[in-house]
Each structure stands twice: as structure tokens, then as C-alpha cells.
Amino acid sequence: MAGDKPEGGEVPLLYSEGNVAARVALEREVREWSTTELAERVTRAGVKMNQTAVWRIENGTPRRRINLDEALAFSRVFELPLEELMSPPLEGLDIASRRLVQEAVEAFYETRDARDRLHRAVVAIADHIKAHPDRSRAIHEQCLRLMGDERDARTLSNDIADGGHY
């Protein structure tokens, strides 16, 4: 039966409740959240939880069981697919390495979202200029006034003239 221990030792499980508990502790530490903060985030995600429950999931003997709603809430607050949350933590990555990777991933998505927002804004301005060509010069002057840096303003103006950021 899965989970039984043969004479040679433990049977490694790809997915287990123990993996979820270990990942909850790891992901919380990587984000430098207290058990109270994690409990509050899980509660805001729709599953009532308190600090004691988080501590018992991570450290209890016996460990507190995790129901499916809680696992889904953890997955949501950590922004991880449920399958990833259930997988064993990667070996060879310490907390400092995980924090660095987490920071890079968050910065990547923030940058991508900002580029997409910039593209939409540039397209909107380009469309506005097509509809009102007499306003083009004033719009470009406003870019320079707001940005202060002529080179950056020229780059933005070129994006507008090209009809998009990418």
C-alpha cells in the first residue's frame, strides 16, 4: 500500500500531505511571513484559519491534517499551482537562495505587467493622435515635461509614433 514502509526504509511519495506541510513552512519563511500573517492571508483567501493551525501544520506532533480547501487556499496565497505545493521541496536550495529566486520571479512578473501596461497606454495615445492629429505636438511636449529626461521622452515619443511599445 502507498505510504507503507518496506524493510529498506520509507517509500518516497511524489505528493503527500507531509510535502504540503513542508512547503507551507518553506514558502512562509521565504516570504518572511509570520504564522499569524499566513493565517490571515489564508482567511482572506476564503478559508478560516488561525496562527495555531499554521503552527500545528508545520510543527505539530502529530501534524495537523490539511483539508483540500486549505490546500487550495495555501496554493492561492503562495501563488503556486496545487501540484507544485504538493511536490517535495527542491533539494540544494536554502532559504536565502529561495528568497533570491522569489524576488527575481516577482520582479519578472511586475516588469512584464508594467511593459504590457505601457504598451496599452502607448497604443491608446497613438490611436488618440490618429483621431486628433492636431494634438500630436502638445502630447509629445507633455511627455517631455512629465518625464524630464529628453532621451526617455524621445523613446516614448518614438514608441507612440510606431503605434506600440513592442
Side-chain angles (χ1 to χ4, degrees), residues 9-94:
E10 283 190 36
V11 173
L13 297 176
L14 181 57
Y15 305 115
S16 74
E17 196 169 41
N19 288 340
V20 176
R23 287 301 295 271
V24 164
L26 176 66
E27 298 300 333
R28 181 184 61 74
E29 289 178 31
V30 165
R31 290 161 179 79
E32 298 180 325
W33 296 345
S34 66
T35 53
T36 300
E37 184 172 356
L38 177 55
E40 290 169 356
R41 288 173 182 263
V42 169
T43 299
R44 284 194 305 268
V47 178
K48 189 170 171 53
M49 184 169 286
N50 61 37
Q51 177 273 334
T52 303
V54 173
W55 188 90
R56 288 181 53 224
I57 287 168
E58 294 180 5
N59 304 299
T61 308
R63 183 179 54 249
R64 182 187 173 282
R65 307 262 342 214
I66 303 165
N67 67 41
L68 182 57
D69 289 340
E70 292 167 341
L72 290 169
F74 284 129
S75 177
R76 183 172 296 137
V77 300
F78 292 136
E79 297 178 336
L80 293 172
L82 185 58
E83 183 176 8
E84 177 68 18
L85 183 69
M86 295 169 52
S87 300
L90 291 174
E91 292 185 25
L93 280 179
D94 60 1

